[in-house]
Amino acid sequence: MIPLERLRDSFEGVIPSVIATTDANGMPNVSYLSHVHYVDETHVALSNQFFSKTAANVARNGFATVMVVDGYSGQQHVLDLVFERSETEGEAFERVAVHLAILESRMSGIMKLRALDIYRVEDCQPVPAANPLVAPEPLVLPDLMGKVARLAAWMSGCVDPETLLDMTLEGLAEHFGYGHSIVLVPDGERGDLTTIASRGYEQFGFGAEVAAGSGIIGVAAERRSAVRITDLSRGQRYVQAVRVMAGIEETASIPLPALEKPLSQIALPLVAHSRLVGVLFLESTERFTFRHRDEEALTVVAAHIATALSFLSDERERAETGRRDGAGPQVEQVPAGRRIAVRFYQRDGSLFVDDDYLIRGVPGRLLLHFLEDYTRSGKQEFLNREIRRDRRLQLPDFKDNLETRLILLRRRLEEKAGPIKLERADRGRLRLTLAGRPEIEVIEE
């Protein structure tokens, strides 16, 4: 029997599998099925959704034969299966449910997983080619864990969250060849995800949002589970979902960076101390860019990012707490003739500068706070420690969100290149620079 571990690429669902069963009279029934899911070295799982005849046959005698196809090489294998149990929860069930959840919103709910049938594999044999010509050369895959070790060593030298994010995405491109990547962080107020770092796109897209549970990114965050799609070109049922999988929403104020025609994608939750701190998303124009080996390697990288982000934020807070404030520089004279129109919507924290949308949510409330302090007292320097303690902000889970929200706000202001700038004056200290006089309108609706 061929070990199932060698057939992992056949369980990607790039080419549909075939299942055969027999009824009480020995009459065969053959159906296509979307996926055969790898469980362990001796078990596979089939999603129990559509096949009433197949289910009736299996319930009668417990046997099934499945043919799986390697979407990369075309090699076929036949698996002799014996039904063991049906699951409606557990690790295997959740893993399959996550994959189907990506399609659910565009498939009117018919892709929702009802049950997962677990089968024991009694035998696994290759299907000989009818007319073999030339034996395929063995596929030599790179040592991904060695690359993980080099990237982790690179990441360990980062001293602040912003450098960590940039160095990680650069390292993923340099060491792994993953040229298109994004990091998103949870908003904290609405539960949505907001882009904080990106690499490989024409537009950085800082501040672009993805709704929780929407597409591959939102599902990975909501389920806190990695989601990987090897071939987005498969089947017409994927066509309408491609834009959702990329996280692109027609109503988004800031477009999410995305490839026009991605063929493979992967999203991994960043979880530290049981808390979601973000999502790492990668995509490619090539099929099979992200195999199960890549998912395993990227899971280690994602865990390192999450832990490092949490540690660096805590370390910075400790450093700020133990340092004296000191006297800041004198307030700069702002040009008197320039008017900066600032409009803020209390409902969702949306902030516009000169009628141009800037950002919303926690970063929008932060910038309003800075601008209001400036108009009252001329204050231009702000300490992270002071911001955390300011009860006027009334921001949820503020200690955990501050560092990444400030990075997002600064990057968005830099990207807009407008009359407002927010710069890092020193560790834990921000400096507000204005090219005019702000006039603030707060809309309560």
Side-chain angles (χ1 to χ4, degrees):
M1 174 174 164
I2 297 175
L4 294 184
E5 183 67 30
R6 297 183 188 176
L7 275 63
R8 292 299 292 268
D9 287 339
S10 297
F11 299 117
E12 299 290 350
V14 174
I15 298 177
S17 301
V18 179
I19 183 169
T21 58
T22 58
D23 64 14
N25 298 317
M27 179 64 68
N29 179 73
V30 180
S31 300
Y32 283 102
L33 69 162
S34 175
H35 272 73
V36 177
H37 302 272
Y38 175 89
V39 177
D40 57 36
E41 294 180 356
T42 58
H43 293 84
V44 296
L46 308 181
S47 56
N48 186 344
Q49 291 172 275
F50 309 116
F51 309 113
S52 58
K53 182 64 174 176
T54 297
N57 290 346
V58 171
R60 186 188 68 83
N61 59 28
F63 298 115
T65 299
V66 166
M67 185 182 74
V68 295
V69 185
D70 187 322
Y72 187 82
S73 68
Q75 177 65 59
Q76 301 172 344
H77 288 83
V78 171
L79 284 61
D80 294 333
L81 308 181
V82 178
F83 176 80
E84 284 196 352
R85 64 188 183 276
S86 186
E87 296 182 350
T88 56
E89 60 182 6
E91 181 180 350
F93 180 87
E94 286 302 320
R95 187 165 64 247
V96 178
V98 164
H99 182 84
L100 295 178
I102 300 171
L103 305 179
E104 183 182 351
S105 62
R106 294 299 181 95
M107 296 296 292
S108 303
I110 65 173
M111 297 303 293
K112 186 174 182 178
L113 184 63
R114 295 197 297 262
L116 190 68
D117 292 342
I118 307 298
Y119 290 80
R120 183 177 69 257
V121 181
E122 292 287 288
D123 195 16
C124 174
Q125 296 297 332
V127 177
N131 297 289
L133 299 176
V134 179
E137 296 183 3
L139 182 63
V140 179
L141 298 173
D143 175 19
L144 293 184
M145 295 314 296
K147 296 182 178 184
V148 169
R150 289 191 290 274
L151 178 58
W154 197 359
M155 294 164 64
S156 65
C158 299
V159 297
D160 62 79
E162 188 167 9
T163 304
L164 171 73
L165 294 172
D166 290 339
M167 292 289 283
T168 299
L169 298 191
E170 182 180 346
L172 288 172
E174 181 170 326
H175 294 299
F176 293 84
Y178 305 145
H180 300 87
S181 54
I182 303 173
V183 174
L184 305 95
V185 293
D187 176 80
E189 288 187 324
R190 302 179 309 278
D192 294 343
L193 295 143
T194 308
T195 303
I196 191 174
S198 67
R199 191 185 192 282
Y201 301 96
E202 293 183 2
Q203 301 293 329
F204 291 112
F206 302 138
E209 298 176 356
V210 174
S214 173
I216 183 171
I217 295 173
V219 169
E222 185 176 65
R223 302 294 184 97
R224 300 197 181 187
S225 176
V227 184
R228 175 169 55 89
I229 302 175
T230 303
D231 188 357
L232 281 170
S233 66
R234 177 198 161 192
Q236 290 300 311
R237 71 179 186 179
Y238 284 100
V239 174
Q240 292 182 339
V242 168
R243 289 184 65 81
V244 176
M245 290 176 182
I248 305 171
E249 297 291 343
E250 298 294 343
T251 58
S253 299
I254 304 172
L256 183 79
L259 293 174
E260 183 177 354
K261 295 181 179 179
L263 289 182
S264 50
Q265 297 178 330
I266 186 169
L268 305 103
L270 308 179
V271 180
H273 310 296
S274 301
R275 179 175 59 86
L276 181 72
V277 298
V279 171
L280 173 64
F281 171 74
L282 303 98
E283 61 179 349
S284 170
T285 56
E286 303 292 331
R287 297 178 178 86
F288 286 96
T289 297
F290 310 111
R291 305 185 182 202
H292 71 276
R293 298 171 66 256
D294 300 85
E295 179 179 336
E296 291 172 346
L298 285 169
T299 297
V300 177
V301 174
H304 195 94
I305 297 172
T307 303
L309 278 176
S310 180
F311 172 79
L312 290 173
S313 296
D314 290 344
E315 183 71 13
R316 174 157 293 194
E317 182 183 4
R318 287 191 292 269
E320 293 161 4
T321 302
R323 189 191 64 217
R324 291 185 177 182
D325 294 353
Q330 296 296 319
V331 175
E332 294 180 355
Q333 294 297 320
V334 176
R338 173 72 161 93
R339 172 184 174 271
I340 305 173
V342 177
R343 189 168 71 256
F344 178 83
Y345 290 87
Q346 195 72 254
R347 179 184 64 245
D348 61 355
S350 296
L351 192 143
F352 292 73
V353 176
D354 292 335
D355 294 324
D356 188 15
Y357 173 78
L358 180 70
I359 205 163
R360 68 173 177 169
V362 175
R365 298 184 192 283
L366 283 169
L367 184 56
L368 175 68
H369 170 71
F370 299 150
L371 293 172
E372 287 180 334
D373 269 11
Y374 171 80
T375 57
R376 280 193 297 264
S377 63
K379 183 177 180 179
Q380 290 182 262
E381 289 205 351
F382 303 86
L383 297 175
N384 289 11
R385 176 166 55 85
E386 292 177 343
I387 300 169
R388 286 191 178 97
R389 294 175 178 177
D390 197 323
R391 296 183 179 275
R392 291 175 297 169
L393 290 170
Q394 298 180 346
L395 300 175
D397 198 18
F398 197 53
K399 173 181 177 295
D400 295 328
N401 290 332
L402 178 60
E403 193 67 38
T404 53
R405 298 313 175 276
L406 290 175
I407 293 172
L408 173 58
L409 177 57
R410 287 195 297 103
R411 290 189 163 188
R412 180 63 177 154
L413 288 169
E414 289 174 4
E415 188 176 36
K416 294 297 291 183
I420 303 174
K421 294 181 180 179
L422 194 63
E423 302 168 339
R424 289 172 57 180
D426 193 3
R427 186 173 184 178
R429 186 190 299 268
L430 296 167
R431 181 169 178 76
L432 179 69
T433 303
L434 301 168
R437 175 174 49 83
E439 294 184 5
I440 302 172
E441 178 187 8
V442 176
I443 298 177
E444 300 290 343
E445 65 179 35

